[in-house]
Structure formats: C-alpha cells, structure tokens
Amino acid sequence: MPKFEKGIKTDFQSNKRSMNHTVNKPELEGDRMDLGFSVADLEQITENGISLENIKKQLGYLKNGIAKTNLVAPATLGNGIINFSEGDFHTHALFFDANKSNLKLLKFVPASGAATRMFKFLNAFLNDFDIENETINAYINRNKATDLAVFIVGMDKFPFFEEVYTKLKEIHTNFNSLSRDYKNYYFIKTLLSPDYFDFANKPKGILPFHVYWNTIATPIEEHLYECGYYSSVNGVSSLHFTVSEVHLPQFESILNSVKHLVEKETQTNVAVDYSFQKKSTDTIAVDLENNPFRNENGTLVFRPGGHGALIENLNTLDADIIFLKNIDNVILHNNENIALYKKALAGVLVALQHRIFDYLNQIENGQLNESQILEIIHFIKEKLNREMESNFDSFTLVNKIKSIKNILNRPVRVCGMVKNEGEPGGGPFWVRNEKNEVSLQIVESNQVDSSQPKQAKILQEATHFNPVDLVCGVKNYKNEKFDLTQFVDHNSGFVVDKNVGGIAIKGLELPGLWNGGMAHWLTIFVQVPLLTFNPVKTVNDLLKPAHQRD
C-alpha cells in the first residue's frame, strides 16, 4: 500500500522567549516608556514574538484608521477577467499536465477557524427561545427566522441527522412520544451542546458534509480526493492544512481513517502537512479611547490577525505551484470536473511563467535591445494587466530594463472568478494605489468607503465574485523562493469593532491573504463556472444540490 506521510511544521508554532536579550536593551526601554508599557507588558509582547515597532504601527492604525481602497472600476469580462470557452479550459489543462513533471505541486487549505458562524442562527434560537412558553412557529414568525424554518424542514437531509437522532433516543427514553416542537428543540440543543456534538465550536474541516452510499464525508476527505485529481505529480499528491493546535488530533484521526481509500482511488501517495498561525501575527486590541485593552488580570489583549496572517505560513512552504482553496468549498461527486478548471488555471500560470522567466533570463544575460523591450511592454500590458511608469519612454535603456525587471520579477497568481449571484464577500476590481498605479486586486466590501457615491456605484457594478480559487507561482526565474512578505500592502488591513465580556473594543485585521496580502503580485483573473464554488457558510448551505446526493 502506498505510504501516507504527515508532519507538523513545528517552526511555525515556536515563539521562544528572548527576555535576556531584549527587555534590558536601552532603546527598547525608551520605546517601552514612550508607548506607556510596563516591563511586564514588554515581556508579554516579546514572548509573542512581536516587535515594539510593529506594536507602534498597529496602535497608529487603530487610532488613525486605515485609508480605504480607491476603486477605479470593476473587473469585467474583457476588462480584467478572461473569458474561456470549454475548449480553452481543456487546452490549458492539457498544457499543465504536459508541463508539470518537474514541478513540485501543493494544495494549501486554511482550516483553523471554528464553525461558529455556520450555526449562528441556531445559537441565537437556543438563547432566545423558551420551549415552555412559546411554539417554534411563533418564534419563527416573531423573529422572521426563515433560516430556522429551512433548517427544520430539511433536517432529515443533513449528513449528521441519523447520528444526532440516534443519540437523542439514547438521551431521552420517551423521545418518540414527544411533541414535534420538543423533538426539534432537543435536536438543535444536542447538536450544539458541549456535552454532545458541540458542532459550533469544532473546525469546519471535521464536520460531516456529504452523504455517500456507504459513508459520510468531511471536508478534509473531500480536499484529499480533490488533491489527488489535480495537485499530484509523479504519483504524489501534497496537501497542507493550517489548523488550530488544539484541533490537530481530530484532523489526524480523520486522515488516518481515510488515507488508504484516497490513495486507492487517486492512485497517489498522499503527503499531508500542518502548520499553526504564528503568535507573532496577532494584533493588539484597544478600547474606544485607543488605549491598549487589558483583561481582568491586567495583561494586554491580543487578537488573531485574520487570514492575512497566513502569508507567513504560505511563505515557508517549498513548492513551485500552490493551489489555494477554502476548507468549506467542496462538492459531492464532481472531482473530475473540478480538476479540469483547477488544472486549466495552473496551465495559464505555467504558460505565463515560461514567458516571464524567458524575458528575465534575457535581462540576466544582457540580451535585450530596444525592439525586444517593445515586445515585453506589450506582454506586460496585454497579458499581465500592468501599465508602465508614466515617464518610461524618457528612461535610458538601463533604467527601462530595470523597470521591466521590477514588474516581472514577482510572484504570480491566477484567480478563478465566478459570476456574482449575491454571495457576501470580495470581488475583482481595478484599484489605484497611493503611487497612482492601477492594478487588479481582490477587494472586500469593508475595504471600500461606501459613503462615497462613486465608490459605492463601482462596488454595486461588480459582475463577479471571489470564490478563493487561486493558483500561485511562488518561485522566481532562478528557481528561488520569493519572500512573500515583501509583496504585501501593509496599508490595506482594516479596523474592526469587537466586544469582549460586554466591553466594546477595537481590533486590527491584517491585510487579507488574497487581498492586501498578495497586492503586489502579478494577478490574472479567469472566469470559472459556478459549479466550482460551493461554500458552506451556514449549515443550511448543506441542503443545496451541490451537497446532496441525487
């Protein structure tokens, strides 16, 4: 039987103390006092691996806010988004298959978040509903809780129904004689109870998503199967999950139970790695007066920096091509079709890299002349969606070559985009930065100042949505890894309002992984079919056709 490999990138989780080398430094003492921190605060900050300079920047963002993204126009078909025919997809997929043998492929799946939002409306129901004094139908009418009505009507179609129902009959010996309201109430309560299933506090990756004829599959399993269909080369498919440390044993247990089945179907050896979000990417919280917020023990409160923190995880991975996809975007019984579109995106990436690397090697070897520069400029404008500097024509030949190299020598991402059908989230736009440069970016609605009519209009005119369907080229023309942290727009995070124990605070989200985290990459958008986008944002999404057996 093929060997199943797994491992944990322990360097991601180590945040070693360096008190003896930092706290007593005079320059740190000065910064500490300027910021109003105690020695104990400095020790806490240092233990988390965060520099005082970084803390100072974070406090500045929290106090002064972050400039909103300046939208120029939505990216549309023919204006920033490539529109392929079905034949085009097959051609690019075949090109990828023909050129992947010497490439190291990897699939990267952020999977550390708990499923809290997935069950938010059910938790709200349990907190507000009084089974002894109200009917569920009255609650639904009083709160216009259509999502609860949908959940109850479709209850027996959920992949966890039979297991929960069996447990209910164990807990309540008189369950069969209970009224329908009591049965439904106890079902929801047992599903979310920490004493039983506790689904809202578990990671999405380990929850039951799909019912097959003889098994129930989790997102972990579905991603493993998918990986074997498109992120495999020379008999090996490699997958990397970012997870919370506390959830790692549950991931490993599922992987060990299905590995032989995955390897048999995909005819690959499956290699799985894990990493944890670095503590050094956490951000400081402040109160509404912008003073550092402290807990009841008087220590500083830090919050996870959001998925943008995962650029650090991505940065340590050794691969030529990385497929990036969210943990909840999986589909039942459609791996071959999904693989076609993923491989096509990878084919576009590899073809672009061939040309980019060829041009950069010509520059390296001193082979460029003025006529070749014109060819490259055309390529940059038409294929890479970038403009040259406004005074480029006045540059000397040396400076023209330097400018071209600066544009070409960076990571590349090819992003699938689906038609906008009202899903919440980000989308593809043309954006102008503070240097007056226009580029393609994936922008979230909360990055835009919707109070400005022109910006709100551009936002509303978006025709496409970001399904988080990326293929990333992270090595340069010398086959060296890029330092991905050098291509982040650090001014594209955002301030968020939070509540801790009834106290209003402010937190800082780092630039999103596929938003500001990749702002300075070369970016290509390709329209992909809606069948590639099947997220489970609420539990009711599991009732959609993509997640139901025929």
Side-chain angles (χ1 to χ4, degrees):
M1 180 172 292
K3 184 180 178 183
F4 178 79
E5 302 173 15
K6 59 181 180 174
I8 304 173
K9 301 283 191 182
T10 53
D11 55 318
F12 277 72
Q13 65 192 92
S14 61
N15 290 286
K16 302 193 176 191
R17 293 175 180 261
S18 51
M19 302 298 116
N20 295 333
H21 304 288
T22 57
V23 173
N24 295 323
K25 285 186 177 181
E27 63 271 23
L28 286 182
E29 279 294 291
D31 288 342
R32 174 184 70 76
M33 290 187 287
D34 288 344
L35 293 170
F37 290 131
S38 67
V39 172
D41 292 337
L42 182 57
E43 289 182 355
Q44 182 187 357
I45 291 166
T46 307
E47 182 178 354
N48 282 4
I50 309 173
S51 69
L52 273 181
E53 183 61 30
N54 199 356
I55 293 291
K56 188 175 181 179
K57 289 179 181 177
Q58 291 177 18
L59 291 172
Y61 286 135
L62 288 162
K63 179 180 179 180
N64 303 316
I66 299 175
K68 294 293 187 178
T69 299
N70 183 10
L71 301 181
V72 175
T76 56
L77 292 179
N79 184 31
I81 302 178
I82 300 171
N83 187 18
F84 281 154
S85 67
E86 197 67 13
D88 292 331
F89 280 115
H90 282 276
T91 298
H92 287 287
L94 288 171
F95 180 83
F96 173 65
D97 281 335
N99 287 273
K100 69 179 184 180
S101 61
N102 294 322
L103 298 175
K104 186 170 184 180
L105 309 179
L106 179 69
K107 183 178 180 181
F108 181 85
V109 181
S112 56
T116 309
R117 293 181 186 177
M118 188 172 162
F119 299 95
K120 184 178 179 179
F121 72 89
L122 294 180
N123 267 317
F125 165 71
L126 291 178
N127 290 332
D128 189 40
F129 179 67
D130 183 354
I131 184 68
E132 295 182 0
N133 294 298
E134 187 176 27
T135 67
I136 291 180
N137 192 53
Y139 172 89
I140 290 171
N141 291 332
R142 174 167 62 89
N143 294 278
K144 296 181 174 59
T146 54
D147 43 10
L148 178 62
V150 170
F151 178 87
I152 290 172
V153 169
M155 188 179 285
D156 62 344
K157 295 182 175 63
F158 285 110
F160 46 78
F161 174 78
E162 292 295 341
E163 188 178 6
V164 176
Y165 197 76
T166 300
K167 176 59 68 175
L168 283 170
K169 289 192 284 187
E170 290 178 14
I171 300 169
H172 306 280
T173 54
N174 64 334
F175 185 77
N176 288 335
S177 63
L178 294 175
S179 70
R180 179 166 298 183
D181 266 14
Y182 269 92
K183 286 180 178 179
N184 291 336
Y185 173 73
Y186 283 139
F187 185 96
I188 295 169
K189 190 172 182 179
T190 303
L191 183 72
L192 301 184
S193 170
D195 295 327
Y196 297 105
F197 292 90
D198 199 24
F199 273 9
N201 292 314
K202 290 181 177 179
K204 282 186 182 180
I206 70 170
L207 299 182
F209 264 37
H210 297 151
V211 177
Y212 290 91
W213 292 110
N214 58 352
T215 187
I216 295 175
T218 64
I220 294 173
E221 296 169 60
E222 300 291 21
H223 278 288
L224 282 168
Y225 280 109
E226 265 195 30
C227 190
Y229 276 83
Y230 60 76
S231 183
S232 61
V233 63
N234 301 324
V236 177
S237 62
S238 300
L239 180 59
H240 185 98
F241 290 108
T242 63
V243 300
S244 296
E245 194 168 353
V246 67
H247 295 142
L248 179 62
Q250 295 166 294
F251 273 73
E252 291 189 306
S253 175
I254 291 173
L255 290 166
N256 287 332
S257 68
V258 302
K259 61 184 180 181
H260 62 289
L261 299 173
V262 175
E263 291 178 332
K264 182 178 180 181
E265 178 176 322
T266 62
Q267 293 297 295
T268 62
N269 294 347
V270 179
V272 177
D273 254 340
Y274 312 89
S275 63
F276 313 124
Q277 193 165 312
K278 288 184 177 181
K279 291 291 291 179
S280 60
T281 61
D282 288 355
T283 58
I284 195 166
V286 298
D287 60 24
L288 297 187
E289 295 181 352
N290 298 309
N291 299 310
F293 182 73
R294 299 175 184 275
N295 62 20
E296 62 275 10
N297 299 321
T299 56
L300 298 169
V301 171
F302 291 89
R303 300 181 63 259
H307 60 71
L310 299 181
I311 197 69
E312 297 277 356
N313 300 53
L314 197 66
N315 198 36
T316 67
L317 301 179
D318 182 23
D320 297 296
I321 305 294
I322 299 177
F323 296 88
L324 198 161
K325 193 175 182 184
N326 275 339
I327 186 67
D328 64 357
N329 184 13
V330 289
I331 191 170
L332 185 148
H333 282 315
N334 219 340
N335 288 325
E336 290 185 358
N337 277 335
I338 296 298
L340 166 65
Y341 300 111
K342 295 292 277 188
K343 289 197 290 186
L345 296 181
V348 173
L349 173 66
V350 173
L352 284 172
Q353 283 188 319
H354 283 181
R355 288 193 67 177
I356 291 168
F357 292 171
D358 181 54
Y359 290 142
L360 288 168
N361 279 312
Q362 288 182 48
I363 291 173
E364 185 85 1
N365 298 326
Q367 297 174 341
L368 281 192
N369 55 41
E370 286 283 0
S371 63
Q372 290 169 313
I373 286 176
L374 292 175
E375 175 190 326
I376 298 175
I377 292 171
H378 181 78
F379 170 74
I380 288 172
K381 290 180 178 180
E382 297 300 318
K383 300 298 183 182
L384 302 182
N385 305 299
R386 299 292 292 254
E387 292 293 330
M388 310 306 296
E389 295 163 272
S390 58
N391 57 340
F392 179 84
D393 289 340
S394 66
F395 287 1
T396 64
L397 179 60
V398 170
N399 285 335
K400 285 180 178 179
I401 291 172
K402 183 178 179 181
S403 177
I404 287 170
K405 184 174 182 180
N406 181 55
I407 292 174
L408 294 180
N409 194 28
R410 57 185 68 208
V412 186
R413 58 175 176 165
V414 178
C415 315
M417 291 292 158
V418 296
K419 289 181 179 178
N420 192 338
E421 294 202 336
E423 291 283 352
F429 292 89
W430 291 98
V431 169
R432 189 184 307 278
N433 66 16
E434 65 279 1
K435 296 180 180 179
N436 206 36
E437 299 167 334
V438 176
S439 62
L440 287 174
Q441 301 292 338
I442 298 172
V443 181
E444 306 296 321
S445 57
N446 57 7
Q447 293 179 260
V448 180
D449 185 358
S450 297
S451 67
Q452 297 295 320
K454 287 185 178 180
Q455 293 293 291
K457 185 174 184 289
I458 294 171
L459 197 62
Q460 290 298 317
E461 290 173 346
T463 59
H464 286 72
F465 174 83
N466 168 40
V468 188
D469 186 6
L470 286 74
V471 186
C472 306
V474 295
K475 289 186 178 179
N476 66 16
Y477 67 105
K478 296 181 179 180
N479 200 35
E480 301 164 334
K481 286 169 56 180
F482 284 109
D483 178 1
L484 303 181
T485 64
Q486 298 302 306
F487 299 89
V488 176
D489 178 4
H490 295 284
N491 295 319
S492 63
F494 42 90
V495 176
V496 292
D497 296 320
K498 293 292 180 179
N499 189 291
V500 176
I503 301 173
I505 66 168
K506 294 194 295 185
L508 180 67
E509 295 276 333
L510 297 175
L513 179 58
W514 41 83
N515 310 117
M518 298 180 178
H520 300 307
W521 292 37
L522 295 172
T523 297
I524 311 298
F525 294 148
V526 178
Q527 178 176 275
V528 292
L530 277 167
L531 73 86
T532 64
F533 182 53
N534 306 285
V536 179
K537 299 306 179 187
T538 81
V539 64
N540 286 348
D541 287 332
L542 290 174
L543 299 175
K544 292 180 178 179
H547 302 288
Q548 290 287 313
R549 191 175 67 193
D550 294 336

